[in-house]
Amino acid sequence: MQQSNYIINPLNEEQKQAVITCDCNLLIIAGAGSGKTKTLTHKIAYILNEGLAKPHQILALTFTNKAAGEMRERIEKLIGSSSSSMWIGTFHSIALRILRNEGIKPTIYDTKDSESLIKEILKRLNIDSKKYTPRSFLSKISLFKLKLKKPEDIEITRPFDKILKSVYKSYEEELKKANAVDFDNIILKTIDLLENNSEIREKYSNRFKYIFIDEYQDTNYPQYLMVRLLYNGLNRVCAVGDEDQSIYSFRGAEVENIMKFDKDYDNCKIVKLQKNYRSAQEILNIANTLISKNSFRNEKQLYSDKTGGRITIKGLPTDSDEADFVARKILILRENGESLSDIAVLYRTNSQSRAIEEALIRYSIPYNIIGSKRFLERKEIKDILAYLRLLVNRDDNVSFLRAINSHPRGIGAKLIEKIQKRAEEDNISLFEASKRLIDDNLLAAKQKKALGDFLSIFDAVDTTKRVDLIIDEILSVSGYKNHLEDKANSDRIENVMELKNSGSLDSLDEFLEGLSLLDYSSDLEKETESVKLMTIHAAKGLEFNSVFVVGLEEGLFPNEGLKQSELDIEEERRLFYVAITRAKTNLFITYAQARKKSAQYSYTKPSRFLKELNENRKNPEELKRGDKVKHSIFGEGVILSKDSDFLLVKFGDNQIKKILPRDRNLMLL
């Protein structure tokens, strides 16, 4: 271990224990701000440095590209060599890597592509897309996939089930025809491959000596199953997470996965990281008090060396007054030297941002809404990507329709309908159907020329060039560049240039794969000197010196859209806990006594969570000899005596401490 001292010395005792425990399966319960990424990267570096595994025998699964990149960078700094042979990436990118390794190379459809495909299916099946939107179908199909249910597994208990089953079946058939997968199918295909081919399963389970999973509380059932299939009883699984921060059940995340880890993986040890490096103890006190109300959790108590946290809980007459209060407090913080970039306003629902925005504009406070329209969702970017994807996969019908409709080119709706009809009759792609219509001389002269010009684009472009040069060719040959310039839209042109700039020396296949798997955690870097507005869900993993949590009212937080079961309430409580633990020093919690809905004010009640924040506390004068207490630093203890100034408290290992009765770290048990 001597050679690895430089790796473990910077760690606290809890982190060290997690790092050096390598001979068993391990669950690291990492409380908010407890240095989980540091612990995980030091553990991987320790394993490599001690010769317990070679780099290519390490698999680390994350939820964002940013997390994967940071992990890779930190490991390289620690061990001083490249981490390129390690398999570090998101669940989707690792699953796709396995598929491609085994010769399966599908096109990846994002949400917009899938919606476009379903829209076409609805049109073909004569289903009213206004009554039943493509997005609603896609959402329901995704929920089936998260439970590993195929179209044939849908039970018909009402008329809509029959429609859904038909759309789901057609959707899967069209994906297969186009040699395409949506995000759900990337992992489902990998599961099928591992389940049905024991040789391939053994190949990967034998390869990876250590499997690491970040944010394990956020895993859904297919992700959970993928890891289980890669485990063979001889390799070691290390999961890092915190059930108190499990807030994504609406995406399919199952908090049960982290709670049963020690039952799924025998020879298992659990290590808890409870020292928080982010927040002042005063903020952790109310966070600990709140989350202790949840029953479905591992017991832990966050503590910190930092003090001086300031907490304000404020009720305002209306939501406009609430917004005004937030804006005025931000002005005071700025006058006291606080950077606007270190201030965040968090809310339960997006609709709450309107009143906040109006107040910030009124007071001339710059702000940035995190999660607004994303770069890759812009029309011009989607158009160019459609051309690129059609270059590598002529069977991609979604990209065909996007590219052919990207700008006026003399190809109208009637011609496209003719192409679709031929494709359906011959059971071929739209691209191939277009060629047959031309070859069979079934089009008017103008239609034939326009369609022929479009198809010729994909023969004219040299796909072996650099990606930025390929984009240049597409812009020129397709006429799309002239279209943008005619529109005189400098923003759109700049966006296309930005896409070009992201083109690297990668192959076109690799470039498209990388873009398809991008996440948007870099949104924060667009504008730094501004207040950040976002939902609490979007704030997970972030931290700010000053945090405003607005709208603590019954019906809003906890949200009335829930079934209000105890499990729902526990998740809402975890969401509030996540919001609180984003704050380093200043925490403002607000609620309105009346909130405007549909142009009318409705009276509200303060959230039940506000009462829970102080429910476990007892006035100092009520504390007495023999009371059991808990201190966030010293642990559980018993009051031996009390005088006018101090409590004499006996803690574990017979430690006797003098504690002020008003010490915020102290809680009555």
Side-chain angles (χ1 to χ4, degrees):
M1 189 181 293
Q2 187 69 33
Q3 62 173 341
S4 295
N5 281 347
Y6 78 98
I7 293 173
I8 62 173
N9 285 345
L11 307 173
N12 66 35
E13 290 307 311
E14 295 168 340
Q15 292 169 337
K16 284 179 184 175
Q17 188 183 4
V19 165
I20 65 174
T21 302
C22 300
D23 58 349
C24 62
N25 296 309
L26 181 67
L27 174 62
I28 303 173
I29 302 292
S34 62
K36 74 172 179 63
T37 305
K38 182 178 184 178
T39 305
L40 193 56
T41 52
H42 279 247
K43 184 173 181 66
I44 294 172
Y46 176 83
I47 286 169
L48 294 172
N49 210 51
E50 290 289 307
L52 300 174
K54 292 180 168 54
H56 70 273
Q57 295 174 317
I58 298 288
L59 169 63
L61 297 158
T62 69
F63 279 86
T64 67
N65 291 310
K66 184 179 180 182
E70 185 180 353
M71 191 182 296
R72 194 179 289 281
E73 191 177 311
R74 288 198 190 190
I75 293 168
E76 286 182 359
K77 281 183 180 176
L78 281 168
I79 62 176
S81 61
S82 172
S83 61
S84 58
S85 61
M86 285 184 241
W87 285 47
I88 300 177
T90 63
F91 276 92
H92 289 93
S93 67
I94 295 297
L96 194 61
R97 186 171 175 181
I98 291 173
L99 292 176
R100 294 202 187 283
N101 267 12
E102 301 309 318
I104 304 167
K105 299 182 178 181
T107 294
I108 305 163
Y109 279 10
D110 65 13
T111 303
K112 293 293 182 186
D113 299 321
S114 294
E115 285 179 12
S116 297
L117 178 56
I118 288 178
K119 189 175 181 180
E120 291 300 317
I121 291 168
L122 297 183
K123 191 189 296 182
R124 194 174 72 220
L125 297 176
N126 294 316
I127 297 169
D128 186 352
S129 61
K130 290 180 181 175
K131 185 178 180 183
Y132 303 112
T133 66
R135 179 168 292 187
S136 67
F137 275 109
L138 189 60
S139 175
K140 289 177 173 63
I141 288 170
S142 183
L143 288 175
F144 281 123
K145 289 184 179 183
L146 289 176
K147 295 173 184 174
L148 303 186
K149 285 192 173 183
K150 297 181 178 178
E152 55 269 28
D153 298 324
I154 298 178
E155 294 179 18
I156 309 294
T157 59
R158 51 187 180 146
F160 177 73
D161 294 334
K162 190 173 182 180
I163 296 172
L164 177 58
K165 186 170 187 173
S166 178
V167 172
Y168 185 8
K169 184 172 183 290
S170 297
Y171 175 67
E172 290 299 297
E173 287 171 352
E174 291 300 321
L175 285 176
K176 188 175 181 180
K177 276 185 201 173
N179 186 30
V181 292
D182 60 16
F183 266 35
D184 293 324
N185 279 3
I186 292 173
I187 291 179
L188 296 185
K189 266 188 173 292
T190 308
I191 288 172
D192 282 345
L193 183 68
L194 296 173
E195 278 189 328
N196 298 319
N197 192 315
S198 58
E199 190 177 326
I200 290 176
R201 180 180 174 181
E202 285 173 17
K203 170 183 169 181
Y204 289 100
S205 61
N206 290 338
R207 176 193 180 108
F208 301 124
K209 288 187 73 172
Y210 288 91
I211 301 171
F212 296 88
I213 312 109
D214 193 15
E215 304 286 12
Y216 193 63
Q217 78 282 346
D218 293 336
T219 52
N220 58 35
Y221 181 63
Q223 290 163 340
Y224 161 87
L225 187 55
M226 178 176 152
V227 176
R228 291 287 294 155
L229 288 167
L230 291 171
Y231 175 64
N232 61 11
L234 300 174
N235 48 14
R236 296 287 172 249
V237 177
C238 172
V240 184
D242 179 12
E243 74 288 344
D244 289 340
Q245 297 183 75
S246 179
I247 59 174
Y248 294 120
S249 66
F250 67 95
R251 291 183 189 166
E254 298 185 355
V255 68
E256 296 87 352
N257 293 345
I258 193 169
M259 296 299 291
K260 63 174 184 170
F261 182 88
D262 56 338
K263 296 178 179 64
D264 285 330
Y265 298 95
D266 55 359
N267 186 22
C268 174
K269 187 171 182 177
I270 298 176
V271 175
K272 297 178 185 178
L273 307 184
Q274 300 176 92
K275 182 170 184 178
N276 178 286
Y277 291 91
R278 176 189 301 147
S279 306
Q281 186 62 52
E282 292 82 358
I283 291 170
L284 296 181
N285 287 340
I286 68 166
N288 287 332
T289 301
L290 174 78
I291 204 63
S292 68
K293 302 295 181 292
N294 273 10
S295 56
F296 197 56
R297 65 188 293 263
N298 291 291
E299 179 62 34
K300 60 182 165 299
Q301 192 85 353
L302 297 184
Y303 65 94
S304 172
D305 292 337
K306 300 177 183 178
T307 56
R310 293 182 292 276
I311 301 162
T312 302
I313 301 177
K314 182 80 171 175
L316 286 307
T318 69
D319 51 345
S320 296
D321 296 311
E322 179 186 52
D324 195 72
F325 170 81
V326 169
R328 286 186 288 107
K329 284 294 180 186
I330 290 172
L331 287 178
I332 293 170
L333 289 169
R334 183 168 66 177
E335 287 168 9
N336 291 336
E338 183 120 337
S339 167
L340 292 180
S341 63
D342 218 1
I343 302 172
V345 183
L346 310 182
Y347 33 79
R348 177 63 182 83
T349 63
N350 277 307
S351 61
Q352 291 171 257
S353 71
R354 182 195 56 79
I356 304 292
E357 285 186 77
E358 288 178 0
L360 295 178
I361 291 168
R362 197 162 56 246
Y363 285 96
S364 301
I365 300 171
Y367 68 91
N368 185 20
I369 298 183
I370 307 305
S372 55
K373 192 159 188 178
R374 294 164 174 172
F375 180 75
L376 293 182
E377 291 175 0
R378 299 181 187 278
K379 180 187 182 303
E380 59 278 11
I381 302 303
K382 295 283 291 176
D383 288 346
I384 297 298
L385 291 179
Y387 284 102
L388 293 175
R389 286 159 59 166
L390 206 51
L391 276 171
V392 299
N393 180 8
R394 302 291 200 273
D395 294 335
D396 186 348
N397 289 342
V398 170
S399 292
F400 178 93
L401 289 172
R402 178 103 206 179
I404 205 168
N405 288 309
S406 62
H407 63 285
R409 53 166 36 99
I411 297 176
K414 286 186 178 178
L415 177 52
I416 290 174
E417 281 179 22
K418 194 176 287 188
I419 296 168
Q420 289 173 317
K421 186 179 178 185
R422 182 63 181 265
E424 197 173 336
E425 287 172 353
D426 293 1
N427 195 26
I428 54 176
S429 70
L430 296 176
F431 198 100
E432 182 60 31
S434 300
K435 287 167 65 177
R436 290 189 186 182
L437 285 173
I438 292 172
D439 293 343
D440 295 346
N441 209 21
L442 296 173
L443 302 176
K446 282 187 178 179
Q447 287 183 327
K448 184 175 180 180
K449 183 179 187 313
L451 189 55
D453 287 346
F454 173 71
L455 298 182
S456 68
I457 294 168
F458 303 94
D459 293 324
V461 176
D462 182 357
T463 57
T464 64
K465 290 183 176 179
R466 281 195 341 236
V467 172
D468 57 333
L469 298 178
I470 293 174
I471 293 174
D472 274 337
E473 280 197 50
I474 285 172
L475 288 169
S476 174
V477 177
S478 69
Y480 196 70
K481 185 178 182 182
N482 292 335
H483 166 70
L484 290 181
E485 288 172 347
D486 286 345
K487 292 288 181 183
N489 192 323
S490 59
D491 285 348
R492 287 190 169 190
I493 294 169
E494 283 177 17
N495 287 336
V496 173
M497 293 306 108
E498 183 62 31
L499 181 67
K500 268 183 58 181
N501 293 339
S502 66
S504 64
L505 299 177
D506 290 343
S507 69
L508 183 54
D509 278 339
E510 290 170 331
F511 176 75
L512 290 172
E513 178 186 317
L515 284 180
S516 298
L517 297 175
L518 271 182
D519 59 71
Y520 302 95
S521 48
S522 58
D523 279 357
L524 280 173
E525 296 161 13
K526 291 177 184 173
E527 187 182 347
T528 53
E529 193 50 45
S530 60
V531 176
K532 304 299 182 288
L533 273 58
M534 67 191 89
T535 63
I536 301 168
H537 284 100
K540 186 168 177 293
L542 305 177
E543 58 183 45
F544 302 90
N545 194 57
S546 299
V547 170
F548 294 82
V549 189
V550 300
L552 263 294
E553 300 139 34
E554 284 294 308
L556 185 55
F557 202 0
N559 197 272
E560 64 187 354
L562 302 168
K563 291 175 286 188
Q564 297 288 317
S565 69
E566 190 51 42
L567 287 177
D568 285 334
I569 297 302
E570 289 213 356
E571 176 144 344
E572 289 286 286
R573 193 177 285 115
R574 292 196 293 266
L575 192 58
F576 188 26
Y577 173 82
V578 166
I580 290 171
T581 54
R582 300 310 95 197
K584 296 178 185 176
T585 307
N586 301 308
L587 176 64
F588 300 87
I589 300 171
T590 63
Y591 61 95
Q593 291 152 352
R595 189 168 291 275
K596 189 177 278 188
K597 291 181 181 177
S598 304
Q600 289 188 328
Y601 278 103
S602 301
Y603 288 105
T604 64
K605 292 197 304 185
S607 170
R608 70 192 76 181
F609 298 148
L610 294 177
K611 183 182 177 185
E612 292 175 357
L613 291 181
N614 290 305
E615 211 171 73
N616 270 5
R617 295 195 175 281
K618 196 172 185 179
N619 292 330
E621 60 269 18
E622 294 178 4
L623 291 169
K624 63 184 185 300
R625 185 176 181 272
D627 275 348
K628 290 183 178 180
V629 293
K630 189 168 194 175
H631 194 279
S632 57
I633 296 174
F634 305 121
E636 293 184 11
V638 177
I639 297 176
L640 298 179
S641 65
K642 174 188 174 185
D643 59 31
S644 57
D645 296 318
F646 292 103
L647 299 171
L648 204 62
V649 183
K650 180 182 179 181
F651 293 101
D653 297 330
N654 290 319
Q655 288 187 80
I656 297 177
K657 300 282 184 183
K658 280 186 175 182
I659 305 290
L660 289 169
R662 62 180 179 276
D663 189 334
R664 287 179 178 266
N665 297 323
L666 194 67
M667 182 185 296
L668 182 74
L669 290 176

